[in-house]
Amino acid sequence: MAEPIKVLVTGAAGQIAYSLLYSIAKGDVFGPKQPISLVLLDIQPMMEVLNGVVMELQDCALPLLSDVIPTADEALAFKDIDVAILVGAMPRREGMERKDLLAANVKIFKSQGIALNTYAKKTVKVVVVGNPANTNALIASRCAPTIPVENFSCLTRLDQNRAQAQVAAKLGISSESVERAIIWGNHSSTQFPDLAHATVTVNGKKSSALEAIKDDNWVQNDFIKTVQSRGGAVIKARKLSSAMSAAKAICDHMRDWWFGTGDRCVSMGVLSTGNPYGIAEGIMYSFPLTIGTDRSYKIVSGLNITDFAREKMDLTQNELIEERDMAVSICDG
Ligand code: NAD
Ligand code: LMR
């Protein structure tokens, strides 16, 4: 058996974590041969709830789970970790935009960025889930200058999964028959879910998604709006934000980062630095990526960007610039 890797999940007493921890602990993310030491961070008032989660993990009797460390202490939580899944933050309620959470949440990611910088392994892979996820990831990365910026990401895989599922339902096919659906920009209602480069396999035959769907009005209106507003629709119905689907998306994101994607293209929020699509530098922007077995990612280049797409890619970029400036002034203030 390999040495255990140390995986931190924050917000561990919350909703998403309750769906996520079992999948990680049973090997769905890091593979069936990789023992895991799970570190669970939440705030002090949640320690009793967190102890209940720890008891349940123990009662699952999972062979890969070498130990579980519940804590409210960042210094202990971030010590020597290999992976950080930063979920802990306030979720939005009905009627809010995700950026309305900036004031409440950005300070959490400042503090955790500093903790990453001080205590984590320099190879740590970080995914930020707590909203507004892109800008929180940016702040964490800025506060951790000794960790490579390429080790920071934010979750837009839930949006990608939502896009794939919408196309699959439209065509009556399985969601794995939908490839290269791309999420550009912010995990917010300005994100641009893009099918222009997507392919679908129908009755064993692969073709362009646009040709198979044959409904440009749906692609440019209903589809985009549904994916952009899906989080809000779930909150309206459940009175709570997406948790099961978010946990599934976190597993997809981290598994692909850990093992690589081959030729498959996935969307992840990463720091924009000199990218092929002219997106402003210094924001965490969701791009189509491929990931190597060495866990380094490359932005998929050479995609043709229409005027329609350009306008949408710029709109979500501009929102991220605005969020970044607000977040920096909150952090510095
Ligand atoms: P939740 O309220 O059920 O759980 C959040 C947990 O975080 C709570 O237990 C809380 O005590 C804890 N927490 C708060 N501050 C903390 C801190 N400083 N350190 C550690 N833990 C802390 O919320 P949830 O439904 O699990 O959602 C968590 C976050 O994920 C929200 O911000 C939500 O908007 C976001 N989210 C993002 C996506 C995405 O796709 N990026 C999807 C769904 C939800
Ligand atoms: C989601 O997309 O479901 C989450 O980001 C929660 C939210 O606020 O919409």
Side-chain angles (χ1 to χ4, degrees):
M1 268 293 199
E3 279 294 297
I5 52 167
K6 221 170 163 188
V7 178
L8 166 66
V9 177
T10 72
Q15 278 219 85
I16 294 177
Y18 197 71
S19 289
L20 174 67
L21 295 174
Y22 173 66
S23 296
I24 295 176
K26 83 186 228 289
D28 287 355
V29 179
F30 301 103
K33 294 195 179 133
Q34 179 58 65
I36 288 163
S37 167
L38 254 187
V39 189
L40 305 180
L41 178 72
D42 211 295
I43 52 176
Q44 194 59 48
M46 295 303 285
M47 285 303 108
E48 195 182 340
V49 175
L50 190 57
N51 277 330
V53 175
V54 174
M55 284 189 257
E56 283 208 65
L57 278 167
Q58 194 176 24
D59 297 346
C60 287
L62 295 163
L64 290 175
L65 192 56
S66 67
D67 63 333
V68 183
I69 306 161
T71 182
D73 175 4
E74 282 185 354
L76 175 64
F78 285 83
K79 184 81 188 138
D80 293 334
I81 50 170
D82 297 285
V83 174
I85 302 177
L86 305 184
V87 179
M90 188 202 280
R92 69 177 169 146
R93 303 284 175 212
E94 212 175 323
M96 292 169 86
E97 285 295 328
R98 296 183 187 98
K99 64 183 165 201
D100 297 335
L101 297 169
L102 255 184
N105 287 344
V106 84
K107 291 195 174 139
I108 297 175
F109 292 88
K110 177 179 178 183
S111 168
Q112 294 183 354
I114 294 168
L116 279 162
N117 200 49
T118 314
Y119 303 111
K121 287 189 183 162
K122 299 305 171 198
T123 51
V124 64
K125 299 285 186 242
V126 184
V127 57
V128 173
V129 179
N131 278 317
N134 300 55
T135 300
N136 288 335
L138 181 73
I139 294 300
S141 146
R142 285 167 72 117
C143 293
T146 64
I147 295 175
V149 290
E150 297 81 18
N151 293 14
F152 286 82
S153 68
C154 78
L155 187 74
T156 55
R157 185 60 170 266
L158 176 54
D159 308 294
Q160 179 192 319
N161 288 349
R162 287 168 172 162
Q164 276 176 233
Q166 287 300 312
V167 173
K170 176 87 174 160
L171 294 174
I173 58 176
S174 144
S175 59
E176 68 184 1
S177 303
V178 183
E179 292 169 81
R180 294 173 82 87
I182 294 170
I183 305 299
W184 299 96
N186 201 359
H187 173 64
S188 79
S189 54
T190 67
Q191 67 178 265
F192 174 37
D194 183 6
L195 292 182
H197 317 283
T199 62
V200 293
T201 304
V202 184
N203 297 327
K205 213 178 139 242
K206 199 169 189 167
S207 68
S208 125
L210 298 186
E211 274 167 28
I213 294 169
K214 292 190 192 69
D215 185 350
D216 288 350
N217 183 44
W218 182 82
V219 169
Q220 296 195 349
N221 294 292
D222 295 5
F223 164 75
I224 292 179
K225 216 168 262 152
T226 301
V227 177
Q228 286 176 332
S229 60
R230 189 65 157 189
V234 171
I235 292 171
K236 191 161 187 290
R238 248 169 58 83
K239 316 293 171 224
L240 288 168
S241 70
S242 308
M244 176 173 45
S245 55
K248 157 67 165 59
I250 294 167
C251 293
D252 291 344
H253 175 116
M254 201 38 92
R255 188 191 317 106
D256 280 344
W257 201 356
W258 203 253
F259 291 107
T261 61
D263 291 340
R264 253 179 330 112
C265 146
V266 294
S267 292
M268 255 165 68
V270 296
L271 189 75
S272 167
T273 50
N275 61 84
Y277 300 105
I279 297 300
E281 302 203 356
I283 50 176
M284 281 278 171
Y285 192 96
S286 178
F287 288 103
L289 309 173
T290 54
I291 304 170
T293 48
D294 62 353
R295 300 180 187 141
S296 71
Y297 62 78
K298 280 202 185 77
I299 296 177
V300 174
S301 61
L303 300 175
N304 179 43
I305 305 298
T306 61
D307 291 347
F308 175 82
R310 181 85 257 163
E311 195 184 313
K312 298 213 168 315
M313 287 162 69
D314 287 352
L315 185 84
T316 191
Q317 161 200 275
N318 294 343
E319 183 183 49
L320 280 169
I321 292 172
E322 222 176 88
E323 278 186 23
R324 175 195 62 198
D325 294 347
M326 273 168 65
V328 168
S329 74
I330 293 168
C331 279
D332 294 348

